[in-house]
Amino acid sequence: MAPHALDDQPMGDGSTLDKRTQTGIQVIVVGAGFAGLTAAIECIRKGHSCLVLESYRNTNVQLGDIISFGSNSGRIFQRWPGVPEKLAPICHVSDHITFNDWKGEHIYTQYWGSEEENFGKRYNGHRGEIHKILFDYAIEQGVEIRLGQQVSEYWENDDEAGVICNGDRISADVVLGADGVRSKARTLVLGYDDKPKPSGYAVYRAWMDSAELAKNDLTKDMVINGDTHTGWLGPDIHFLAASIKDGKEFSWVCTHKDDRDVDEGWSEPGDHEDACRILEGWDPAVHTIVRMTPPEKLIDWKLVYRDPLPTWISPKARISLIGDAAHPFLPTSIQGASQAMEDGACIAVCLELAGKKNAPLALKAFEAMRYDRVKAAQKTGETTRDKWHKADFDRVKKDPESIKLKREEWILNHDAEAHAYQNWSKVIAGLQH
């Protein structure tokens, strides 16, 4: 079939494009998750053209359950007019989390208030609902998103890069692989196929209506008083539950040991009996939550990981991995989505500053700016999990603050866009030596 240049394609309604200085840089983004949508929106903000290719055939898919965006990504939302106002009514509103041990005895209550004031707004809500807001905003800004697109191959040469998608060859100046933990773009970047590995843990998770929980004496206090956030910690297991939308909806996750191979399935329907077996001896309130979860709402999700990549960019630096494709995060980091959004904000700035003729330099600078930060943020997922799962609870009772979630300034007070502008010259100088 004949090749398609990106500038031959319509870009939304074009209503916002002519208000910006156009750079002439053409970007293909593979994947319309949070990394891909952020990269696309930010590229439009910086005057680049952007085409997003997504394998899903429609936008009605309710993706997952609860997802958290820290202050570092919250400030990216704040730059998108109208988005914070749409997020506000669907996001969790609570200034603390209550930690119990596995038997239900209170350990510690951690408050967030001052941290939010210092670092900025955070957003926790249903993944699918937040995703739909970003998806619609991207369309409004002039991003073209094609659904039902199966990318079978990535390619590059000295002058351009592209993909083979549904049999068509599509070209651009750069391609961003935002196609998740099972990314095809990783093969091109690495030169071989690195399969995901079991992390040794899995998660039972659910999102559901809270009406029945409100009727039960063991669970009603978690939903009838508005939004709440509660955690139970035990030997090699932690269970987190949150009510949302003024207590009308409820989400929970249970992280536990699981050594099954990921080839058995990455995500599958959950089993109530197995979940309760894993939680044997735990607080009856936890068992009530599990038992009252509708069968169709319970998901068994294997936590997979990949070895840290030596690089995120292809040999000719025309293709870059972003988000989970580059750096999968454990949920206990509470930073996977935020770091994916930081990737999108940073790479759009780098492309703007490098210019069309130096697009490969932009991708190299992006990696140099982001690599060490992301690697350090990834480690926080392991340290938090181990702090909870390997805790000596006799010591925890003497020092309850030891199980606090760290709210670190270097992570939460970061501005990816401003950082890219401020550090561009220094990073470029380093790359040229």
Side-chain angles (χ1 to χ4, degrees):
M1 294 190 179
H4 294 280
L6 203 158
D7 53 3
D8 293 333
Q9 309 300 330
M11 298 297 296
D13 63 9
S15 61
T16 57
L17 295 181
D18 57 1
K19 299 176 184 178
R20 303 177 175 89
T21 300
Q22 298 302 291
T23 65
I25 298 173
Q26 302 167 337
V27 181
I28 294 171
V29 177
V30 180
F34 291 106
L37 288 178
T38 303
I41 293 167
E42 289 297 303
C43 280
I44 293 295
R45 286 185 71 226
K46 304 306 179 190
H48 319 320
S49 299
C50 191
L51 169 66
V52 177
L53 304 171
E54 170 56 53
S55 61
Y56 281 120
R57 294 191 175 278
N58 61 70
T59 60
N60 296 323
V61 180
Q62 286 296 299
L63 305 168
D65 42 75
I66 199 160
I67 190 169
S68 298
F69 296 87
S71 303
N72 49 318
S73 53
R75 59 178 47 88
I76 298 174
F77 288 139
Q78 295 288 330
R79 292 191 174 114
W80 298 344
V83 168
E85 291 77 9
K86 292 179 180 177
L87 290 173
I90 67 167
C91 285
H92 185 264
V93 180
S94 176
D95 66 351
H96 67 278
I97 179 172
T98 300
F99 287 108
N100 304 318
D101 69 13
W102 68 98
K103 296 179 181 178
E105 183 178 341
H106 178 257
I107 301 173
Y108 183 73
T109 299
Q110 181 174 354
Y111 288 87
W112 323 110
S114 61
E115 291 163 351
E116 183 164 291
E117 285 182 17
N118 292 337
F119 302 142
K121 180 72 175 172
R122 67 189 190 285
Y123 298 89
N124 303 327
H126 190 283
R127 179 185 296 266
E129 293 176 350
I130 295 176
H131 181 268
K132 184 64 165 60
I133 290 171
L134 267 62
F135 186 97
D136 291 345
Y137 181 74
I139 295 292
E140 291 169 7
Q141 297 308 298
V143 177
E144 184 190 2
I145 304 178
R146 298 181 188 173
L147 302 177
Q149 303 298 301
Q150 300 298 325
V151 172
S152 58
E153 183 181 337
Y154 289 76
W155 58 269
E156 66 176 345
N157 56 42
D158 290 335
D159 301 316
E160 59 183 0
V163 297
I164 306 298
C165 181
N166 292 1
D168 288 344
R169 181 180 175 89
I170 309 176
S171 61
D173 293 299
V174 297
V175 175
L176 306 181
D179 45 353
V181 69
R182 299 189 178 198
S183 168
K184 287 185 173 69
R186 291 173 69 103
T187 303
L188 185 145
V189 168
L190 292 174
Y192 59 88
D193 183 18
D194 69 324
K195 296 183 180 300
K197 301 176 182 179
S199 67
Y201 289 86
V203 171
Y204 274 110
R205 58 193 312 157
W207 184 289
M208 59 192 185
D209 183 88
S210 63
E212 293 303 311
L213 295 172
K215 300 174 185 177
N216 190 290
D217 288 341
L218 292 174
T219 56
K220 65 182 182 181
D221 287 342
M222 286 184 275
V223 298
I224 64 174
N225 300 311
D227 293 359
T228 64
H229 201 180
T230 310
W232 289 261
L233 309 181
D236 238 340
I237 300 173
H238 73 269
F239 191 106
L240 300 176
S243 60
I244 199 167
K245 297 180 183 175
D246 198 28
K248 293 181 177 60
E249 296 183 17
F250 195 82
S251 175
W252 64 268
V253 296
C254 172
T255 302
H256 60 93
K257 291 285 288 183
D258 188 321
D259 293 320
R260 287 176 290 173
D261 194 286
V262 290
D263 287 339
E264 295 177 19
W266 179 30
S267 179
E268 58 193 19
D271 183 292
H272 288 74
E273 296 305 321
D274 183 59
C276 287
R277 178 190 59 78
I278 289 166
L279 294 163
E280 184 178 355
W282 278 55
D283 185 352
V286 170
H287 282 262
T288 300
I289 292 169
V290 174
R291 294 290 184 190
M292 298 185 89
T293 302
E296 70 277 10
K297 299 293 187 180
L298 183 58
I299 301 298
D300 182 5
W301 183 43
K302 309 292 186 300
L303 294 180
V304 300
Y305 75 100
R306 295 179 185 267
D307 293 328
L309 297 179
T311 181
W312 301 339
I313 57 178
S314 58
K316 296 184 181 296
R318 291 277 177 179
I319 299 171
S320 179
L321 304 172
I322 62 173
D324 282 351
H327 42 71
F329 273 68
L330 293 172
T332 38
S333 70
I334 324 178
Q335 271 293 305
S338 293
Q339 293 300 318
M341 289 186 67
E342 285 190 8
D343 284 352
C346 178
I347 206 163
V349 172
C350 290
L351 286 167
E352 176 192 19
L353 297 178
K356 184 178 177 71
K357 293 183 179 179
N358 294 310
L361 181 63
L363 270 56
K364 293 176 183 178
F366 159 75
E367 181 184 59
M369 290 182 189
R370 298 284 301 146
Y371 191 89
D372 288 342
R373 172 174 169 77
V374 169
K375 190 173 182 180
Q378 282 177 295
K379 291 296 292 182
T380 65
E382 296 178 27
T383 54
T384 297
R385 181 196 63 198
D386 292 344
K387 175 171 62 177
W388 288 350
H389 284 220
K390 312 299 183 186
D392 180 332
F393 283 90
D394 288 333
R395 290 186 179 179
V396 167
K397 289 177 182 178
K398 296 176 183 177
D399 180 21
E401 289 198 7
S402 64
I403 53 89
K404 282 178 61 174
L405 272 169
K406 285 190 175 181
R407 312 295 290 170
E408 298 182 273
E409 183 173 2
W410 71 270
I411 293 179
L412 298 174
N413 208 26
H414 184 77
D415 186 327
E417 181 182 64
H419 180 268
Y421 282 123
Q422 292 164 5
N423 288 275
W424 171 260
S425 297
K426 181 174 67 175
V427 168
I428 293 305
L431 290 173
Q432 291 172 341
H433 280 86

